[in-house]
Amino acid sequence: MKFRGGHNILLQGRPEGMIKLMPEPEVLYLPLRSRRFSFGELCVEEGQQVNGGDVLARDLDNYSVPLLAPRAGRVRLTEREGHIVLEDVARLAEHAEIDDEDLPHIAQEMGASGIKRYRLLTLGAWQFFYDAYSGSLPDPLGRPQAIIVSTLSLEPFLARGDAQLHNRLLNFTRGLEQLQSLLEYQPIYLVMPDIKSEFANLIRNHIRGYASVKMVSIPLTYPYDDFSILARRLGLKRSEGPVWSVRTEGVLAVDRALTLSKPCLVRIISIGGTGVNYSTHISVMPGYPIQRIRDKYIFEPVSRIINGGILTGERLGPEALGLDTECRGLTVLPELQDREFLGFIRPGWDRSCYAACYLSSLRDKFRERLSTGLHGEGRPCVSCNFCEDVCPAGITPHLIHKYLYRDLIEEAEQARVDLCIECGLCSYVCPSKIDLRSQIIDSKVLIAKEKEEIRKEQLRQEELRKQEEARKQAEENSK
Ligand code: SF4
Ligand code: SF4
């Protein structure tokens, strides 16, 4: 496969492959919002006692995906805004709640595969699936043209597939077999760092005869593990149906839900960055109190916590009390509060940069100790074209930035903002500190809104036209 753009960012604080267990919490704070989900339909009442695996809320806009109780406990709905709080948390036997109401017609329409997909949704495993092109939650009863499974995580500081696979090879291969049983003849592509490695051979031997998986290796350059890039490189056209994609943790969740019939209540997430005392992976459940993680791992008194990786994550504000259901890692950076004294005359021996503008370009490759400091001031675009060089989508971020600056939305659309995969590399390499990624994301939202408004207006006009025709017809009839 041929890729373009991309760039590897060398930073200190990469998580170790170990997985540490966190102590059991007494209280869980389950956010009602995450990146893709908004659990607006509450299914429990104030003070209700629930078991682990019970449905607390649902996102009705996303195929009623459930927010499951990770442990038994008593529900508090009004205690913290935007959260369901579980008090007196206890580790009791998990209870897999399956709502059987819809099963008969699914079984009739789709048979065993439909029932399995429904179980994935109900037991919390479906949340690990993505539509490769849009990143949204795919329709669990839809027909994918292929499934892409990735064992890689190339964005700095995010949970690594190898850590998640540690001692779980059997679960992973069983998960692949279960994935195969959801399909008719569509292929499964397994993306690995090296398809000739011993590990790849182990997987091949395990699944031989049970699942037909095509192994694909890619260069270990960010963001070649992005699903939309992989789908394009594999020749899977958007017009030919959805492409489902899932990472290592998703395959493990499929195994848990379909082989063991157990709800997926625990996640392995990374905790990395230069603000932590030990970069590693931790096994936690959604709702785990962020303060407890902070007390154990974060040594910097003033630090910025990012939900996700350094390039695409979102800053966690003080209102976020617990981990959300989609969290894949926390990145912690020391927050620089003071300006660096005479920062502009520092030679930059310890700073890495896409341009060879610091003295560090004379050094061998090294990992930078990143902080939240900008190391410079924002300024207009200097047309260096670095953003275009690294852009894996093959678009021109600097040109789009100039269009957006002058409110030329149509031109930005013609420059194919829709192809942007939101990897954030353009913002990272820009020497003028322009946040190109946010600008492009905002413009995509604006364009989508405008298109929606046009569509609604067309529908309204059509409705008016029909009503007018009906009125005329009625008049003629009465005459
Ligand atoms: S324009 Fe989009 S795809 Fe290209 S580098 Fe920037 S964020 Fe990534
Ligand atoms: S990297 Fe920044 S300064 Fe360079 S061309 Fe792109 S937007 Fe302009």
Side-chain angles (χ1 to χ4, degrees), residues 35-37 61-63 126-139 227 238 243-245 326:
R35 193 173 274 216
R36 289 181 299 169
F37 307 131
D61 294 330
N62 268 308
Y63 310 103
W126 192 250
Q127 306 185 11
F128 293 89
F129 282 71
Y130 298 81
D131 179 279
Y133 278 108
S134 66
S136 57
L137 190 77
D139 179 357
F227 290 127
R238 203 172 190 163
V243 179
W244 291 354
S245 43
E326 293 190 272

Side-chain angles (χ1 to χ4, degrees), residues 79 172 201 239 242 256 275 310 377 391 405 418 423 451:
E79 195 145 307
F172 184 72
N201 281 336
S239 54
R256 189 171 162 80
I310 191 77
E377 312 251 313
C391 178
Y405 186 71
D418 60 308
C423 68
K451 281 192 173 164

